[in-house]
Amino acid sequence: MQIELSEEQQLLRDTVRRFAAEVVAPRAREIDASGEFPLDFFHRAGELGLAGVYVPEEYGGAGMDEVAYCVAIEEISRVCASSGVILSVNNSLVCDPLLAYGNEEQKRELLAPLASGRKLGCFALTEAEAGSDAAALRTRARRDGDRYILDGGKVFITNGTHADLALVFATVDPERKHRGITAFVVPTDAPGFSRGHHEYKLGVQASGTTQLFFEGTPVPAAWRLGEEGDGFKIAMAALDGGRVGIAAQAVGIAQGALEAALAYAKERHQFGRPISEFQAIQFYLADMAMEIDAARLLAFKAAWAKSQRKRYSLEAAQAKLFASEMAQRVTNKALQIHGGYGYTRDYAVERFFRDARITEIYEGTSEIQKLVISDWILRGA
Ligand code: CAA
């Protein structure tokens, strides 16, 4: 594994950083306050190749690698965590399983518009009574000739308010537990499909979180991903990739908070000098920089492990767990450095602090990551 970014990855970082500064940052505060979903941002990101960073160009993506994907998610999240997760979900939870499990027709018809940013995807696994215990989901899929009929509901679906296509997990037989779960690509203009209200949350306000409902929703059998019963493994494998994306998102949030704290510490004077001259503040900054670097390396290592085409659940869980908890500590210190001003809505640091919190919850809580890690090390894998 190479520690430095390649020339191509550096070029991508510089391009995405410019795009983030010019297009994403100016609206970050406004969409956090209003909760408006930045659909125009998604389409423009798609034009840059960011909707399907490691999807091959023949299927509409940028054809780059998994580390490049981390770099892109970090750069966007450094200015707007909502925009970061919108891209992360489309890339790793929707495009990636289509790339890994889709047949040629599905890749051309379904993957290409998603990877090029013409269509937005969402990942519909979680239900009201099936969160961490994803295998307990109850949405039903009944075979009816050359189609399936879906009935049930999903909650907390990122991108759900605006998605064109949903990757939906439903069971063909609840008695078969996780072995009955099957994956379908469902267009959101299908009959019997509807959305709930937009969730008002602590952070990542603009990520379009909502409920989805299916009432007798027909889905062509040709849009089933994999075989009946493959769905749980498809979801878990997709979440391994998703966790790498969330680790990169957490690194980006923390990096944005560190940069805000550095600037503030140099300009804020107390006791006759900039507060950056006080060792208490310097030590905070040192801890923050070191922790961000450690998390970034874990994210890159997990991305590299993914590129080796072997199971990388351990690396993904470690990166996600460490990076999300790191982001919590770093944004907390950044807010402390800002003092009373940090607690107001006038400074971006309070948004970074609120946004960081969800990285410890979605795509598997910290406790679930610890289960995955301990399972691997106890089995000696
Ligand atoms: N890749 C491939 N296969 C996997 C896998 C992986 N990463 N993880 C598990 N499997 C397979 C196992 O090998 C096993 O296979 P067999 O049937 O052949 O034995 C099967 O799946 C069942 O595995 P487990 O017995 O380990 O499953 P479990 O029911 O005990 O669940 C769990 C394990 C780790 C708790 C899992 O349920 C989990 O990760 N839960 C968290 C769910 C989650 O992350 N939800 C996030 C929602 S999505 C979201 O937040 C997106 C968003 O909008 C931002």
Side-chain angles (χ1 to χ4, degrees):
M1 178 183 135
Q2 195 182 327
I3 301 274
E4 306 88 39
L5 296 184
S6 66
E7 255 180 55
E8 195 189 28
Q9 291 161 345
Q10 285 179 37
L11 188 67
L12 176 84
R13 182 196 57 202
D14 297 345
T15 307
V16 181
R17 191 169 288 181
R18 234 181 354 262
F19 173 70
E22 287 167 11
V23 175
V24 188
R27 287 194 58 210
R29 187 174 165 187
E30 177 198 328
I31 63 173
D32 171 62
S34 66
E36 184 194 343
F37 190 89
L39 195 58
D40 52 337
F41 147 76
F42 175 74
H43 292 311
R44 289 184 70 176
E47 287 163 16
L48 272 185
L50 305 183
V53 178
Y54 53 78
V55 173
E57 290 177 49
E58 60 176 312
Y59 300 126
M64 296 190 73
D65 61 30
E66 287 80 357
V67 172
Y69 167 60
C70 281
V71 169
I73 297 296
E74 177 186 335
E75 289 302 325
I76 299 292
S77 305
R78 187 171 146 259
V79 301
C80 178
S82 290
S83 302
V85 73
I86 289 167
L87 285 185
S88 179
V89 165
N90 193 76
N91 272 271
S92 39
L93 295 186
V94 189
C95 288
D96 192 54
L98 273 164
L99 185 61
Y101 299 95
N103 57 38
E104 193 56 30
E105 190 194 334
Q106 290 170 334
K107 286 183 193 170
R108 303 235 170 257
E109 197 172 341
L110 303 171
L111 175 57
L114 289 161
S116 58
R118 281 179 284 123
K119 288 195 173 168
L120 174 72
C122 68
F123 179 82
L125 175 71
T126 303
E127 299 183 359
E129 301 300 329
S132 290
D133 186 7
L137 66 81
R138 285 288 170 265
T139 294
R140 283 299 300 267
R142 291 183 182 79
R143 182 89 194 213
D144 175 31
D146 61 355
R147 59 185 194 164
Y148 287 84
I149 305 294
L150 265 53
D151 285 284
K154 301 287 176 179
V155 298
F156 301 141
I157 306 303
T158 302
N159 291 355
T161 53
H162 287 72
D164 302 290
L165 294 170
L167 180 56
V168 179
F169 297 88
T171 178
V172 291
D173 180 2
E175 295 296 307
R176 285 165 61 190
K177 310 277 184 197
H178 73 269
R179 294 196 177 94
I181 296 174
T182 306
F184 301 93
V185 179
V186 181
T188 55
D189 58 3
F193 173 86
S194 61
R195 310 173 206 251
H197 64 277
H198 173 213
E199 299 285 353
Y200 184 64
K201 300 164 294 184
L202 176 69
V204 289
Q205 289 283 15
S207 62
T209 311
T210 191
Q211 299 160 296
L212 307 180
F213 303 105
F214 311 92
E215 284 179 73
T217 304
V219 185
W223 287 21
R224 187 189 69 211
L225 199 56
E227 299 299 323
E228 281 191 6
D230 284 350
F232 190 73
K233 288 183 187 174
I234 294 176
M236 291 300 116
L239 280 165
D240 285 342
R243 290 166 186 168
V244 181
I246 299 307
Q249 183 202 24
V251 171
I253 296 169
Q255 181 67 36
L258 171 63
E259 288 168 18
L262 276 170
Y264 186 82
K266 286 183 195 163
E267 85 195 15
R268 171 74 170 165
H269 284 68
Q270 288 291 278
F271 304 104
R273 46 192 173 137
I275 62 170
S276 60
E277 290 184 9
F278 293 107
Q279 208 171 44
I281 301 296
Q282 292 169 353
F283 283 6
Y284 274 159
L285 293 169
D287 284 340
M288 292 156 78
M290 173 189 68
E291 286 216 75
I292 292 170
D293 221 20
R296 184 180 289 118
L297 286 172
L298 279 177
F300 285 175
K301 182 183 171 197
W304 170 82
K306 177 170 175 15
S307 73
Q308 300 304 295
R309 307 288 170 248
K310 288 189 293 197
R311 185 130 163 221
Y312 61 101
S313 305
L314 173 70
E315 291 85 351
Q318 288 185 162
K320 201 259 187 192
L321 175 62
F322 185 81
S324 58
E325 295 193 344
M326 172 285 295
Q328 192 62 28
R329 291 189 291 272
V330 166
T331 56
N332 191 33
K333 287 194 178 103
L335 199 150
Q336 191 69 17
I337 290 170
H338 282 72
Y341 289 105
Y343 201 65
T344 70
R345 297 267 157 139
D346 295 337
Y347 286 80
V349 73
E350 64 82 30
R351 174 164 53 84
F352 290 125
F353 177 75
R354 287 184 289 108
D355 287 345
R357 190 65 180 83
I358 188 61
T359 64
E360 291 177 287
I361 299 172
Y362 58 22
E363 306 206 20
T365 60
S366 291
E367 293 73 20
I368 290 295
Q369 308 313 319
K370 286 181 191 177
L371 274 182
V372 173
I373 296 165
S374 55
D375 185 47
W376 274 75
I377 58 178
L378 282 167
R379 283 191 291 115

